[in-house]
Amino acid sequence: MFESKVVASNAVKRHVKVPLLPEICILVAGVVCFYIFPSNLGFLTEIVVMALFVLSLDLLLGYTGIATLGQAAMFGAGAYCAGLFAMYVHPDPLIGLLVAGIIGAGIALVSGSFMLRTHGLSFIILTIAVAELLFAAANQAQDITGGDNGLYGFAVAPLFGIFEFDFYGRTGFFYSLSILALAFLLMRQLVRSPFGLAAKGLREDQERMRALGYPVYRHLMIIYAIAGSMAGVAGGLSAQTVQVVGLQSLSFTLSAEALVMLILGGTGRLYGALIGTVIFMVVHHMAAALDPSTWMLFIGLLLVTTVLFLPKGLMQLFDIFMAWIKVGRRSE
Amino acid sequence: MLKLKLLLATSLAATTLTMTAQADDPVKVGIVAPLSGPFSDYGQQFRQAIDAYQAQHGKSVGGHSVEFIYKDNGGPDPGRTRSVAQELIVQEQVDYLGGFVFTPNALAVAPLINKAKTPAVIFNAATSAITQQSDYFVRTSYTTPQVSVPVAVYAKEEGIDKVVTLVTDYGPGIDAEQAFAKQFEKDGGEILRSVRMPMNTTDFGPFVQGAKSEAPDAIYVFLPGGPPTYGFVKAYADNGLMEEGIRFLGTAETQELDLQTLGSSALGLHTGFHYSQAHDSPENQAFLDSLHSLYPDAIANWASVGAYDGAHVIYKMIEATGGEKKPEAAVDAVKGLSWISPRGPMMIDSDYRSPIQNVYMRKVVKGESGELVNKEFKVYEEQPDYGRFEE
């Protein structure tokens, strides 16, 4: 009796949960990077913003099985709205971000309302079409968006009225990092909730979910809107930290690159989105620094190797590692 | 994960340390340009021209060696450009920046150079408004209105009264259309129709036929370089506009990198621009000799001369400040600076820090060895940036 109690408490100890552990890890990793690369904060911010964007894609592709090549539509819309909001309405960054998120969700709802009635290839084509339409609209509306020249000349007020967006990008970095951690927390809650589990069900078999009496279309719409608002927030962050919004924020290239990062990291895993983005962008950055004209070769090799040997993305390495540790423990 | 990051960190830190240890305190210049991907031609032209300049004028000025550091920003991507420029300023400690092909990229560094007080020389980006965004911008390329207005003046002088404009539907194209139309209508000409062609057009036949049916005296064209230009020029030749006397007026369409690919259908096209590789002057010859001694197959175009003169302006700034970091003095030193460039005489406007230069009317003809050249036949001297009067 006594013995079993000890065993039980040991078991509890081993499984003791530190609340918010992943988010704390993200923040700590960010702070470590901040001190190691104090002069690369612009690049680090780029990574953080991209990670948030890839995370939104992971919710769609990884958790719900919605393959899209037009996620940049929401990113770009959020970016332009945050820029225009700062220019004409109010320079506060947080309100701007909120607006960017709402716009992202709005675009997702409007486009999703007809797109989500289709599946597979036709859905993918439609997502590309919507993003291209927005791209063309932004190019046409020169007076509002600046067209090819980009939207510029908006200033963002200090965060909380205290922290000014400085030249080194310190505020921009910690601001983006906090938003990423927050989004990660929300995502974690979401995918674990019954709602998130239902999303996984949709990924596995929509027909079956429908047969079970599940409101499939409504569920897809909500998820598409949530992912859209996250992409919008990522776009807003990009606008606020770079202070110029270019047409490339709505481009097909951006959507496709995000997809590549996600697949590299591993779809359907929240960490996969983060790791894929970090590895892709760091390798890109370092290879481009080593040889500015042929770095694409490194990226290509990395992708081919990953897809060939780790079809589930880099997260598979982590799985293999964990399995190896378990085997080690058992043999002890 | 963390270990991996640490590993990356230490290796990166190690490389930067060794790099800084090697250099004996030269003046550093960071060049931001596309060096990979579809726009890498620009980066290559910049690099070759800067090498040619250094081969001619030495790698040091006033006893200070000058080191150019190249960073890739891919293409039109303000976010990437900003972070690359920030690294150059903070980590590499550059005193000057150069490059900048696309307008949004140049605009993205404006807040940075304002705060860091780093003079930035624009080798290419041609939208007038850029230099107003920072007092540390100096431009050595041209602006779209600067080269479009003389073409309109020339058209009217040639007795052309009716024109159809055909431009690619994006910022620079619309700038060109408006600058041309404004001048042409002011001189009493008539724009029959203004056509804006979508960016990814591959078949220009319908546009050219549509223009032909209006029976204008000439068409005024603005296209981004590369495949769209090939497609358009071919459509112009195939639809027999030249035979009907509808002349082709343009600016950069017959630029040297595209010219040989355009082939014989380019013969007889008229363009107005500030640089032709065939410009007949000792300065241009010296530049081309230097360029070809380093890169035998190199072709010089406006991007080359923009970078070549950019290097000149940077050398002048370093000379004026004795290699020290005095950004205001450096920019002041080149305001109103005039010199004979390979393109001809040019001057930096002291108010707008953009060039005042000759714009040449050229015609595509066969050169001595059968290759196509832009032969200059008329000069509009000391043209300002016409776009600066707006806004």
Side-chain angles (χ1 to χ4, degrees):
Chain A
M1 173 94 188
F2 184 65
E3 241 180 41
S4 72
K5 238 184 192 173
V6 172
V7 171
S9 78
N10 262 347
V12 167
K13 229 177 213 173
R14 190 175 284 170
H15 289 280
V16 101
K17 290 261 174 187
V18 182
L20 305 181
L21 183 64
E23 288 73 30
I24 292 170
C25 283
I26 291 176
L27 291 173
V28 168
V31 172
V32 169
C33 288
F34 175 82
Y35 282 106
I36 300 178
F37 308 108
S39 52
N40 297 63
L41 291 180
F43 175 57
L44 292 177
T45 311
E46 237 185 305
I47 294 184
V48 170
V49 170
M50 202 62 197
L52 184 60
F53 182 52
V54 175
L55 208 55
S56 80
L57 195 61
D58 199 13
L59 179 63
L60 291 180
L61 180 65
Y63 285 92
T64 324
I66 306 176
T68 163
L69 274 171
Q71 193 68 353
M74 278 67 93
F75 182 90
Y80 275 109
C81 280
L84 290 169
F85 187 80
M87 197 184 272
Y88 296 113
V89 188
H90 199 282
D92 185 79
L94 288 172
I95 305 177
L97 217 52
L98 189 69
V99 173
I102 293 170
I103 288 294
I107 299 270
L109 278 176
V110 172
S111 62
S113 64
F114 62 90
M115 292 198 305
L116 287 166
R117 293 175 193 277
T118 64
H119 304 280
L121 271 182
S122 39
F123 178 81
I124 294 182
I125 303 285
L126 280 175
T127 58
I128 298 175
V130 167
E132 288 289 308
L133 275 176
L134 285 181
F135 183 95
N139 184 35
Q140 289 292 327
Q142 288 224 346
D143 297 336
I144 304 168
T145 62
D148 193 65
N149 292 342
L151 176 71
Y152 63 97
F154 55 88
V156 181
L159 188 59
F160 306 124
I162 307 168
F163 304 106
E164 205 174 315
F165 284 85
D166 55 327
F167 157 70
Y168 292 97
R170 291 186 194 115
T171 308
F173 175 64
F174 283 116
Y175 170 52
S176 313
L177 191 70
S178 317
I179 299 285
L180 176 67
L182 191 68
F184 197 82
L185 175 67
L186 292 176
M187 277 285 278
R188 248 177 1 113
Q189 302 303 322
L190 183 76
V191 299
R192 268 202 252 133
S193 68
F195 182 84
L197 292 175
K200 279 187 187 171
L202 289 173
R203 178 186 69 191
E204 297 306 323
D205 195 338
Q206 282 196 16
E207 285 311 309
R208 191 155 174 194
M209 290 294 280
R210 190 168 287 127
L212 287 169
Y214 216 83
V216 172
Y217 175 68
R218 198 177 74 198
H219 207 101
L220 289 175
M221 282 285 282
I222 295 172
I223 289 184
Y224 199 60
I226 294 173
S229 78
M230 265 178 79
V233 167
L237 279 177
S238 143
Q240 291 173 349
T241 50
V242 178
Q243 291 182 8
V244 175
V245 184
L247 280 177
Q248 103 294 341
S249 65
L250 282 165
S251 68
F252 175 75
T253 324
L254 182 68
S255 304
E257 210 165 57
L259 194 62
V260 168
M261 291 182 205
L262 179 60
I263 292 169
L264 180 69
T267 55
R269 314 279 293 264
L270 293 181
Y271 297 104
L274 298 189
I275 288 173
T277 314
V278 171
I279 300 283
F280 182 93
M281 294 191 68
V282 168
V283 169
H284 174 163
H285 194 75
M286 288 177 59
L290 285 176
D291 186 343
S293 39
T294 53
W295 60 267
M296 280 182 170
L297 186 69
F298 292 95
I299 294 278
L301 284 176
L302 177 71
L303 286 178
V304 171
T305 321
T306 312
V307 173
L308 274 182
F309 298 106
L310 301 168
K312 286 182 190 159
L314 292 171
M315 281 303 284
Q316 205 177 342
L317 274 183
F318 178 76
D319 295 341
I320 294 169
F321 180 69
M322 289 310 277
W324 178 70
I325 286 179
K326 257 185 202 162
V327 169
R329 265 200 197 138
R330 244 178 245 154
S331 62
E332 264 172 27
Chain B
M1 171 69 201
L2 255 171
K3 263 191 184 164
L4 188 68
K5 267 192 184 160
L6 275 174
L7 192 73
L8 288 176
T10 39
S11 59
L12 202 75
T15 45
T16 38
L17 273 179
T18 46
M19 271 172 71
T20 41
Q22 277 167 2
D24 61 298
D25 214 23
V27 178
K28 289 183 178 176
V29 182
I31 304 294
V32 181
L35 297 159
S36 65
F39 304 104
S40 57
D41 275 352
Y42 283 103
Q44 181 192 309
Q45 296 296 97
F46 287 173
R47 194 191 280 248
Q48 290 177 345
I50 290 169
D51 289 350
Y53 186 87
Q54 288 205 309
Q56 260 180 291
H57 299 90
K59 295 201 174 192
S60 62
V61 54
H64 303 277
S65 61
V66 185
E67 185 193 347
F68 287 90
I69 302 165
Y70 293 85
K71 287 264 183 189
D72 182 22
N73 66 345
D77 186 343
R80 171 123 296 239
T81 306
R82 186 186 162 99
S83 57
V84 162
Q86 190 193 40
E87 268 181 48
L88 283 168
I89 296 172
V90 180
Q91 190 172 314
E92 306 282 357
Q93 302 276 322
V94 300
D95 291 335
Y96 301 93
L97 286 173
F100 308 109
V101 173
F102 300 98
T103 301
N105 294 351
L107 292 171
V109 299
L112 281 184
I113 61 173
N114 281 339
K115 281 193 185 150
K117 301 190 193 305
T118 305
V121 181
I122 300 164
F123 293 176
N124 184 64
T127 305
S128 295
I130 300 172
T131 52
Q132 291 167 32
Q133 298 304 312
S134 169
D135 293 337
Y136 299 97
F137 271 138
V138 179
R139 178 172 11 220
T140 56
S141 53
Y142 68 105
T143 70
T144 310
Q146 183 175 41
V147 294
S148 305
V149 168
V151 176
V153 172
Y154 167 78
K156 206 72 194 63
E157 284 174 7
E158 285 287 291
I160 291 168
D161 293 318
K162 291 177 283 181
V163 166
V164 173
T165 63
L166 297 126
V167 301
T168 296
D169 194 359
Y170 74 132
I174 292 159
D175 283 355
E177 174 199 287
Q178 288 170 348
F180 179 89
K182 198 174 162 197
Q183 181 66 34
F184 192 62
E185 284 172 341
K186 200 176 101 190
D187 292 348
E190 189 189 350
I191 304 286
L192 297 176
R193 217 166 91 190
S194 296
V195 184
R196 293 181 181 175
M197 305 175 287
M199 279 208 273
N200 299 322
T201 305
T202 46
D203 180 11
F204 290 93
F207 295 106
V208 172
Q209 280 166 13
K212 188 182 173 185
S213 67
E214 301 273 341
D217 300 326
I219 55 171
Y220 172 75
V221 177
F222 185 98
L223 294 156
T229 309
Y230 308 151
F232 190 94
V233 170
K234 192 169 176 300
Y236 174 78
D238 289 351
N239 286 286
L241 272 74
M242 196 178 280
E243 288 75 25
E244 293 215 359
I246 303 172
R247 293 171 59 180
F248 179 104
L249 299 172
T251 47
E253 282 66 34
T254 60
Q255 67 116 336
E256 283 71 11
L257 283 184
D258 290 340
L259 191 53
Q260 307 313 322
T261 320
L262 288 174
S264 56
S265 55
L267 282 170
L269 300 187
H270 286 72
T271 52
F273 211 44
H274 62 287
Y275 179 70
S276 159
Q277 189 178 357
H279 179 71
D280 190 14
S281 75
E283 288 79 14
N284 192 34
Q285 200 50 53
F287 163 53
L288 292 175
D289 288 346
S290 169
L291 182 68
H292 289 140
S293 69
L294 293 168
Y295 306 98
D297 299 327
I299 294 168
N301 68 348
W302 89 89
S304 319
V305 84
Y308 184 88
D309 288 325
H312 178 74
V313 163
I314 289 167
Y315 268 47
K316 284 289 168 199
M317 289 199 278
I318 296 170
E319 198 177 26
T321 51
E324 286 173 50
K325 189 168 164 61
K326 290 180 188 159
E328 283 86 8
V331 175
D332 282 343
V334 297
K335 282 182 184 168
L337 180 74
S338 63
W339 71 99
I340 305 291
S341 143
R343 69 184 89 177
M346 77 178 278
M347 179 181 156
I348 301 292
D349 185 320
S350 45
D351 289 335
Y352 293 90
R353 288 160 275 110
S354 212
I356 296 174
Q357 58 191 337
N358 293 351
V359 173
Y360 305 88
M361 288 308 302
R362 311 95 52 91
K363 186 179 178 180
V364 178
V365 296
K366 275 217 164 81
E368 285 158 14
S369 48
E371 82 290 3
L372 300 179
V373 296
N374 283 308
K375 177 124 184 73
E376 296 168 351
F377 62 86
K378 186 163 188 172
V379 191
Y380 291 92
E381 282 179 355
E382 294 182 17
Q383 298 294 305
D385 168 17
Y386 291 102
R388 70 173 202 227
F389 301 115
E390 275 150 31
E391 192 173 358

